[in-house]
């Protein structure tokens, strides 16, 4: 039987229905496949975002395991040096970044401040940054001195050499002022001023450095000490800081004449940040070998574990005090408002900061929280938040202060009042110029340790717990930036209101015409 064209058209219009079981299978199977693929994609994306944290934690675990595995071999000191060579390369690369990072970041930051536009707002913002950073530093120093997280009865190889000649507090303060005004910028990159003591010897004898132990036995000899100018190895961070700040401010006031030089330092700063990012990705390899070497050098691993635990608790305690007492108290005293209600509107920014471990990456979320949740003026947020992401590092300053004293305590090195003052200023300067990228605090930590005369190789010990402390202090950094915006906007409310009538004047004039 032949089919006509009408029959074929009827066949084309017939819809063939699949069995119910087959329909159910396709409906359930296709979304399941898409769900699995989406979950797999989100997992891989999350893994890529947190790849550095995963690599760091893995390097820490493997380095500790390798160190304990090699302890039974009784490796010689030469073999340990060979083992830690990749870690030595990491430390040398970090030290290489110190000078260009400080100079470029500070000159770029200072020259970008338009004093004519922001005026009092900028002055209040920088005053807030300095006050909160100094409070965070002294909070960390006080906790480290009280808790003594690195205090131990162990005698290390550094302890004997760590006991350096004591410098009187007044001379240490004068050394601080002298180092802030270096006589030679090139020399400041290599050496720093330090007072050394001589005493008048009997005729026929030459001048020699006084022995502090003998002077303690004979108290009359202490009065015979004569301070003389000297120097010590290490970068003069304070001198370079003062010069960079002054140079940046002058460069910013030159307007169009200084634009080529501003562009140069801005480009240099971006290039250095890219280099730091590359070095940071190498750090898991260096940390792996450094930790293995540190484990081999330890005489009492249980004691080191206890000290690291106390160090971690000290840092967390300081961060909690600063975030739930110091910053809310400043906000309440200035604005007379509930600080915890203000902080509740910052939860998205704080969680993003904790997750990304980068205050710069959190900046878009922070801007949205401040402008949408708290209706902050864009003139203040667009000036303070980007500036605070690189200059206001309360959490990093507190962490670096505790870490420096912790390493000094491990090596049985006592800091007097003058040295603590110098340390606080060094930490403030280093944290102010720190980059807002993950693990860039390693570079500023190298600055602090080298400037304070502490061994930089002990950074590997800090890396065991730094992956979690880095996230906590980043959240505190973002919280300090947001509190600063609220404080400065409250203090600058009259200036902000006076800048709005120019925009609102046409509306007011039309309203008055309609009313008349």
């Amino acid at each position: 039987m032949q089919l006509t064209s009408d029959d074929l058209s009827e066949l084309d219009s017939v819809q063939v229905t699949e069995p119910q079981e087959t329909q159910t299978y396709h409906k359930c199977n296709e979304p399941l496949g898409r769900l699995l693929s989406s979950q797999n994609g989100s997992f891989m994306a999350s893994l890529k975002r947190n790849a550095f944290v995963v690599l760091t934690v893995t390097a820490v675990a493997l380095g500790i395991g390798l160190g304990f595995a090699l302890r039974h071999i009784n490796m010689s000191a030469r073999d340990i040096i060979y083992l830690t060579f990749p870690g030595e390369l990491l430390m040398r690369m970090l030290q290489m970044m110190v000078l260009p990072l400080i100079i470029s970041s500070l000159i770029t930051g200072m020259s970008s401040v338009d004093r004519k536009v922001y005026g009092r707002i900028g002055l209040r913002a920088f005053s807030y940054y300095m006050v909160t950073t100094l409070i965070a530093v002294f909070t960390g120093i006080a906790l480290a001195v009280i808790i003594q997280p690195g205090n131990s009865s162990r005698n290390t190889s550094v302890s004997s050499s760590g006991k350096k000649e004591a410098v009187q507090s007044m001379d240490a303060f004068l050394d601080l002022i002298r180092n802030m005004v270096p006589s030679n910028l090139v020399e400041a990159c290599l050496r720093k001023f330090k007072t050394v003591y001589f005493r008048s010897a009997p005729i026929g004898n030459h001048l020699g450095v006084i022995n502090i132990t003998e002077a303690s036995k004979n108290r009359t000899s202490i009065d015979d000490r004569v301070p003389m100018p000297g120097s010590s190895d290490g970068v003069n961070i304070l001198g370079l800081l003062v010069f960079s700040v002054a140079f940046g401010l002058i460069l910013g006031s030159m307007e169009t004449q200084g634009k080529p030089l501003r562009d140069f330092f801005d480009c240099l700063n971006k290039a250095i940040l890219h280099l730091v990012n590359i070095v940071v990705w190498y750090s898991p390899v260096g940390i792996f070998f450094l930790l293995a070497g540190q484990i081999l050098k330890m005489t009492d691993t249980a004691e080191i574990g206890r000290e690291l635990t106390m160090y971690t608790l000290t840092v967390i305690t300081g961060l909690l005090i600063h975030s739930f007492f110091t910053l809310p108290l400043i906000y309440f005293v200035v604005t007379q408002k509930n600080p915890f209600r203000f902080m509740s509107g910052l939860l998205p920014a704080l969680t993003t900061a904790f997750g990304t471990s980068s205050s710069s990456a959190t900046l878009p979320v922070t801007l949205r929280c401040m402008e949408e949740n708290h209706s902050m003026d864009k003139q203040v947020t667009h000036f303070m938040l980007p500036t605070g992401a690189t200059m206001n590092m309360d959490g990093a300053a507190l962490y670096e202060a505790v870490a420096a004293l912790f390493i000094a305590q491990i090596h049985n090195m006592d800091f007097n009042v003058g040295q603590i003052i110098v340390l606080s200023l060094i930490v403030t300067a280093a944290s102010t110029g720190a980059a807002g990228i993950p693990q860039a605090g390693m570079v500023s930590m190298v600055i602090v340790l080298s400037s304070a005369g502490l061994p930089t190789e002990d950074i590997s010990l800090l890396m065991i717990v730094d992956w979690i402390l880095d996230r906590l202090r980043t959240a505190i950094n973002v919280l300090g930036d947001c509190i600063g915006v609220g404080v400065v906007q409250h203090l600058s409310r009259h200036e902000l209101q006076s800048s709005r009538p120019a925009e609102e004047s046409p509306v007011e004039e039309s309203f008055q015409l309609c009313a008349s």
Side-chain angles (χ1 to χ4, degrees), residues 191-213:
R191 303 181 69 82
K192 49 191 173 183
F193 188 94
K194 182 186 177 184
T195 298
V196 295
Y197 294 104
F198 290 82
R199 62 181 175 86
S200 300
I203 299 175
N205 292 347
H206 62 278
L207 293 178
V209 180
I210 187 171
N211 191 324
I212 299 302
T213 57

Side-chain angles (χ1 to χ4, degrees), residues 24-150:
T24 305
Y25 171 77
H26 285 298
K27 289 180 181 179
C28 296
N29 189 32
E30 292 179 2
L32 181 60
R34 288 197 299 268
L35 180 62
L36 290 174
S37 61
S38 63
Q39 287 180 349
N40 189 23
S42 62
F43 173 75
M44 294 302 296
S46 176
L47 188 62
K48 289 181 180 179
R49 286 195 304 268
N50 299 295
F52 180 78
V53 178
V54 174
L55 290 175
T56 303
V57 175
T58 304
V60 168
L62 293 178
I64 294 175
L66 178 63
F68 279 108
L70 295 178
R71 283 177 68 89
H72 304 288
I73 304 179
N74 294 325
M75 298 177 65
S76 63
R78 181 186 295 272
D79 294 335
I80 294 176
I81 292 175
Y82 293 156
L83 176 66
T84 57
F85 179 72
E88 180 186 351
L89 290 181
L90 172 64
M91 301 311 303
R92 295 178 69 89
M93 285 189 287
L94 291 176
Q95 291 169 347
M96 178 180 63
M97 299 295 171
V98 167
L99 275 178
L101 181 63
I102 290 178
I103 294 174
S104 63
S105 63
L106 286 178
I107 291 179
T108 302
M110 292 296 105
S111 62
S112 62
V113 176
D114 193 343
R115 291 176 294 177
K116 294 182 179 179
V117 175
Y118 294 104
R120 295 180 180 177
I121 296 178
L123 180 62
R124 289 166 183 151
F126 287 114
S127 301
Y128 169 82
Y129 293 157
M130 291 299 105
V131 169
T132 54
T133 303
L134 284 174
I135 292 175
V137 168
F138 282 107
T139 300
I141 290 175
L143 287 175
V145 170
I146 294 172
I147 299 176
Q148 297 281 321

Side-chain angles (χ1 to χ4, degrees), residues 330-342:
I330 293 174
Y331 182 83
F332 175 76
V333 169
V334 174
T335 65
Q336 298 294 316
K337 296 179 182 178
N338 187 353
F340 298 103
R341 181 178 299 175
F342 179 84

